[in-house]
Amino acid sequence: MSETPSPHSFGPNSFGPFASATELGAIRHDWSVTEIRAIHDMPLLDLVHRAGTVHRMHNDPADIQRAALLSIKTGGCPEDCAYCPQSAHHKGTALPRERLMPVETVLKEAAAAKANGAHRFCMGAAWRQPKDGPEFDAVLAMVRGVRGLGMEACVTLGMLTPAQAGRLAEAGLTSYNHNLDTGPDFYGDIISTRTYEDRLKTLENVRAAGIGVCCGGIVGMGEGVTDRAQMLQVLANHAPHPESVPINALVAVAGTPLEDRPAVDPLDLVRMCATARIVMPKARVRLSAGRKSLTREAQILCFLAGANSIFYGERLLTTANNEADDDAALLRDIGITVHEPVLAAAE
Ligand code: SAM
Ligand code: DTB
Ligand code: SF4
């Protein structure tokens, strides 16, 4: 037997910072940043094991959701988010400002995504907030159309008023994506044109309208681990928890102020997915932007740690995503059934 005590906790009744397995899978809204950091910083194998345990207490591990993304209105955004190639403040990105896509084009894309096996269709617009009028009406028609195809519909349009959230709910919107991006202390280093409070207010409007909340953030912008833990604390202390939590790795786009940020260590993403899973046991933890730079094995570690959704399809909003064929093969290789709807539709 080794004389050095193991840094890992082991044995049938060993749950690290948790007194029992029950406590480990508890749905709580009173997390402290210290507790979340302690979870995040556990020895990696313990962390992944515990996150996997919580995952299986609350979710079917074979259920990995595939969400397709489409930028329905690209570029020229008045906000100054330092990571974003669509901000009009970053003159170096050379992304042209485009108009809102026609409803029919969007619905064709949604039908194609469905045929390729996507469960959810997410539409993003580079707006500070939607203006009431024909463009917002067109977005409502897109939501109705996507729901009519039998898919979940998600949009991300910037800040929303309670009335706009109500109209989106009436149109059948499943979920609204509005990220906190990072913890409150680091936030001001990344965005100056809208506050953390503004973001929280929009989330409140979405929740009050009865729409699902999709809210997460980005790792790799220069934040510390405490900033990551703070963001998870804000999310986990919302009651109810967000239904989905995208964990993005920064895609460092040339021409943005973050273009030179070094690549995120894939194990940081594993830790982030695992910690999100433990503090929000039932949420869809979505392994989001930046997945293209992960090996298959790193992605599998994220799934073991409780990630249960991916963006599926060759584009994110303006940058490339993993090839759909590679994703289908990855999921098949780990025993997740991906149907072949393109072939099925042709029969
Ligand atoms: N304009 C809307 C808004 O910000 O509310 C919606 C679109 S915005 C592109 C949606 C989210 O994508 C951002 O909040 C951010 O978390 C993520 N994102 C944008 N650019 C990214 C990048 N370069 N790398 C990683 N995530 C990014
Ligand atoms: C989210 O958290 N990530 C997605 C989605 N929500 C809208 C967007 C990722 C964008 C990555 C950079 C781009 O392709 O423009
Ligand atoms: Fe605009 Fe959204 Fe990009 Fe910020 S993240 S610049 S709000 S499109």
Side-chain angles (χ1 to χ4, degrees):
M1 222 173 109
S2 157
E3 294 191 358
T4 330
S6 166
H8 305 265
S9 44
F10 60 98
N13 296 315
S14 177
F15 297 99
F18 304 95
S20 67
T22 326
E23 194 186 320
L24 176 62
I27 309 284
R28 290 176 45 192
H29 304 285
D30 60 352
W31 294 96
S32 72
V33 173
T34 312
E35 278 177 297
I36 296 179
R37 262 217 77 152
I39 294 167
H40 178 280
D41 296 346
M42 272 194 265
L44 189 72
L45 297 181
D46 286 358
L47 175 61
V48 171
H49 173 64
R50 292 207 169 77
T53 304
V54 173
H55 187 50
R56 283 159 190 258
M57 284 165 84
H58 292 279
N59 308 281
D60 173 358
D63 172 14
I64 296 187
Q65 181 198 53
R66 297 181 291 278
L69 251 184
L70 179 67
S71 180
I72 57 172
K73 194 270 154 209
T74 305
C77 183
E79 304 285 326
D80 68 352
C81 313
Y83 49 77
C84 186
Q86 304 202 63
S87 167
H89 295 256
H90 314 325
K91 305 292 179 212
T93 63
L95 244 184
R97 180 202 193 97
E98 289 174 13
R99 301 173 67 82
L100 183 67
M101 271 185 189
V103 177
E104 313 77 71
T105 314
V106 171
L107 294 183
K108 270 193 200 136
E109 294 274 350
K114 182 182 175 186
N116 279 323
H119 305 111
R120 179 176 175 113
F121 197 67
C122 309
M123 298 163 273
W127 288 329
R128 173 174 165 79
Q129 59 205 18
K131 267 201 308 277
D132 291 323
E135 290 200 324
F136 191 63
D137 295 346
V139 173
L140 296 174
M142 293 170 194
V143 170
R144 283 191 291 268
V146 170
R147 296 296 285 138
L149 290 168
M151 302 173 89
E152 293 186 6
C154 180
V155 292
T156 174
L157 315 170
M159 296 185 284
L160 281 191
T161 63
Q164 289 170 332
R167 294 182 71 199
L168 286 165
E170 261 168 42
L173 188 69
T174 313
S175 195
Y176 193 82
N177 169 241
H178 197 63
N179 289 342
L180 289 173
D181 284 343
T182 189
D185 292 349
F186 187 67
Y187 181 87
D189 288 28
I190 298 298
I191 298 137
S192 77
T193 49
R194 68 177 166 207
T195 65
Y196 216 71
E197 282 308 311
D198 289 333
R199 296 208 182 221
L200 292 169
K201 185 72 199 142
T202 290
L203 294 174
E204 199 183 305
N205 295 341
V206 167
R207 181 59 82 199
I211 301 168
V213 170
C214 172
C215 185
I218 308 180
V219 299
M221 300 188 293
E223 75 288 345
V225 173
T226 300
D227 298 304
R228 296 177 191 171
Q230 282 178 352
M231 180 186 86
L232 292 178
Q233 183 205 27
V234 177
L235 293 173
N237 288 352
H238 271 87
H241 291 153
E243 281 72 14
S244 49
V245 178
I247 304 294
N248 296 277
L250 176 72
V251 179
V253 180
T256 64
L258 300 184
E259 63 181 350
D260 292 327
R261 291 296 321 163
V264 173
D265 180 342
L267 296 184
D268 283 8
L269 273 181
V270 175
R271 284 191 182 278
M272 199 61 185
C273 291
T275 311
R277 168 56 63 223
I278 290 173
V279 300
M280 291 172 279
K282 290 178 191 284
R284 280 259 173 218
V285 175
R286 185 168 303 116
L287 184 56
S288 300
R291 197 166 55 82
K292 205 169 162 46
S293 59
L294 299 186
T295 61
R296 282 157 58 95
E297 292 76 9
Q299 295 178 63
I300 290 169
L301 259 181
C302 291
F303 297 143
L304 263 181
N308 60 352
S309 175
I310 55 172
F311 282 124
Y312 184 68
E314 275 135 37
R315 282 198 86 63
L316 293 167
L317 290 174
T318 66
T319 64
N321 192 26
N322 308 51
E323 298 287 325
D325 286 352
D326 291 346
D327 281 343
L330 170 68
L331 294 176
R332 214 171 285 130
D333 289 348
I334 61 172
I336 311 269
T337 314
V338 182
H339 60 292
E340 301 285 2
V342 178
L343 299 177
E347 280 163 10

